[in-house]
Amino acid sequence: MGSTLLTVRLGMDPPPRLDKALARDVPEDAALSRTRLARLIEAGQVAVNGAVVTDCKARVDEGDEVAITVPEAEESHILPEDIALDIVHEDGDLIVVNKPAGMVVHPAPGTPTGTLVNALLHHFGGDLSGVGGAKRPGIVHRIDKDTSGLLVVAKSDAAHHGLAAQFEKHSAQRRYLALCNGVPDASDPRLRGLRGITFEPGNILRIATHLGRHRTDRQKQAVGWSGGRHAVTRARAIQQFGAPAVCALLECWLETGRTHQIRVHMAYAGHGLIGDPVYGGKRKLPHKALPPAGLAMAQQFPRQALHAASLGFVHPVSAQEMMFEAPLPADMAGLIAALTPEAENSTVA
């Protein structure tokens, strides 16, 4: 297998650790993330002043010459599968797909096949320059199995490096549409009394907490105030259903992107998502407030009613600002239609 030799001379006042110094001084066009550099160091592919170093914490000094051997990308162990994809955009560096509900993003012990990555490997047909040392799609963010909507995936190390930096800095724009129990409103004294909840102009609900693993159920996330990771969600009701209103279509956007963030935050606020089997809670929709067909559909909705509707980012190679939108999937659009009285019935795009 071939390899490329990259030589770097460390600049003034380098960070004392080898991995951090390389992360700073390796040219950006080499598209080597700090994680990738750490793996190369540990694999014996990095020499400082002619001597191989395998400790990421090794001390380095200004002017040190570092030689990095970057092996050619290996074939992925994940098998390609011929699964249809809804491709919104594709170029030489990245692809944007509209993932259907029910599809897992990346293979895991419980779901080794049938995932988005399996489908992408088949779609690319080997046309990958390598991400992290392997010829595989670069997953920089995920959405839950039963959440539908937009994902951007890198096809090269350069794209992966640039996209990952945007998601880490929370500069990528992500907006979701969700159907929730109840209607969040600034006039609700219960919400005003909940820690971490405030309202911004325009009746925008802001939820700021920490999110971390649930103490007893390790498959779940839970709100906390110490430990975990800081998480901020904003949401506003854009359509209400029922007489009186008992559920709502929300527009949600993320300041951070944590596992299950919208689902956990809305449940914490007492407005769990319709159909959410994990965080939806035991709240029941009133029988008399909704059309019978809408009530029945909401009660039997088979997944969390959550859709990643828009995605914006700066193209990591061309620097072009990009924005994509995906219409509501048929199940959520059908639920909205059933919840809406016939005189007002309309399909939400």
Side-chain angles (χ1 to χ4, degrees):
M1 183 172 65
S3 61
T4 302
L5 182 64
L6 174 67
T7 302
V8 177
R9 190 169 294 280
L10 300 183
M12 294 177 59
D13 300 319
R17 289 175 49 138
L18 173 59
D19 57 350
K20 292 184 178 181
L22 289 179
R24 187 195 74 172
D25 288 353
V26 166
E28 188 173 337
D29 59 9
L32 294 174
S33 66
R34 182 176 166 189
T35 300
R36 177 84 165 109
L37 287 166
R39 289 174 180 164
L40 290 170
I41 294 168
E42 292 165 355
Q45 304 287 352
V46 175
V48 180
N49 299 325
V52 173
V53 177
T54 58
D55 183 2
C56 293
K57 299 179 182 179
R59 288 192 60 84
V60 289
D61 296 304
E62 177 183 333
D64 282 349
E65 184 177 88
V66 184
I68 307 168
T69 302
V70 183
E72 182 180 326
E74 300 175 351
E75 295 295 332
S76 172
H77 69 282
I78 302 170
L79 296 176
E81 295 182 57
D82 188 2
I83 301 170
L85 290 170
D86 181 0
I87 298 171
V88 179
H89 169 83
E90 183 175 10
D91 59 41
D93 298 289
L94 57 84
I95 186 170
V96 178
V97 297
N98 183 15
K99 185 189 81 69
M103 175 181 275
V104 174
V105 172
H106 198 282
T111 51
T113 61
T115 73
L116 178 63
V117 169
N118 294 109
L120 287 170
L121 283 170
H122 180 273
H123 172 74
F124 295 146
D127 184 22
L128 285 169
S129 61
V131 173
K135 290 186 177 180
R136 59 181 175 84
I139 304 297
V140 294
H141 67 123
R142 304 187 188 200
I143 54 179
D144 299 335
K145 172 186 176 182
D146 289 324
T147 298
S148 56
L150 295 171
L151 279 165
V152 59
V153 180
K155 295 170 66 173
S156 66
D157 257 331
H160 189 265
H161 190 57
L163 287 170
Q166 292 181 58
F167 279 90
E168 184 177 355
K169 295 175 182 176
H170 312 304
S171 61
Q173 301 175 52
R174 286 175 287 173
R175 297 221 172 193
Y176 293 74
L177 292 174
L179 284 156
C180 75
N181 291 283
V183 183
D185 192 272
S187 64
D188 185 347
R190 179 189 61 82
L191 283 176
R192 289 289 188 181
L194 275 178
R195 182 179 178 182
I197 288 185
T198 56
F199 276 87
E200 298 176 339
N203 205 27
I204 295 173
L205 170 69
R206 181 180 186 270
I207 308 172
T209 72
H210 283 215
L211 289 181
R213 293 282 186 186
H214 193 282
R215 289 184 178 179
T216 58
D217 188 343
R218 306 304 289 175
Q219 301 301 312
K220 295 174 62 176
Q221 299 291 305
V223 164
W225 308 104
S226 60
R229 304 176 73 186
H230 180 61
V232 179
T233 302
R234 287 179 173 83
R236 67 182 180 96
I238 57 177
Q239 191 173 354
Q240 301 180 17
F241 307 97
V246 294
C247 56
L249 176 65
L250 302 179
E251 180 184 30
C252 307
W253 56 103
L254 303 178
E255 187 174 309
T256 57
R258 311 302 183 204
T259 302
H260 300 173
Q261 180 173 320
I262 291 173
R263 298 167 62 192
V264 178
H265 269 173
M266 293 312 302
Y268 170 71
H271 294 289
L273 302 191
I274 289 175
D276 191 333
V278 178
Y279 305 102
K282 298 179 180 180
R283 185 170 178 172
K284 302 295 183 182
L285 292 169
H287 282 67
K288 297 181 179 180
L290 294 167
L295 176 66
M297 190 176 292
Q299 289 174 332
Q300 298 168 18
F301 204 70
R303 66 175 181 101
Q304 63 267 10
L306 181 62
H307 175 66
S310 66
L311 174 65
F313 55 88
V314 176
H315 194 287
V317 176
S318 71
Q320 177 184 355
E321 290 191 4
M322 312 194 80
M323 178 64 71
F324 303 97
E325 295 187 357
L328 276 173
D331 60 352
M332 285 183 65
L335 176 56
I336 289 171
L339 290 170
T340 306
E342 284 191 25
E344 304 172 12
N345 209 317
S346 62
T347 299
V348 177

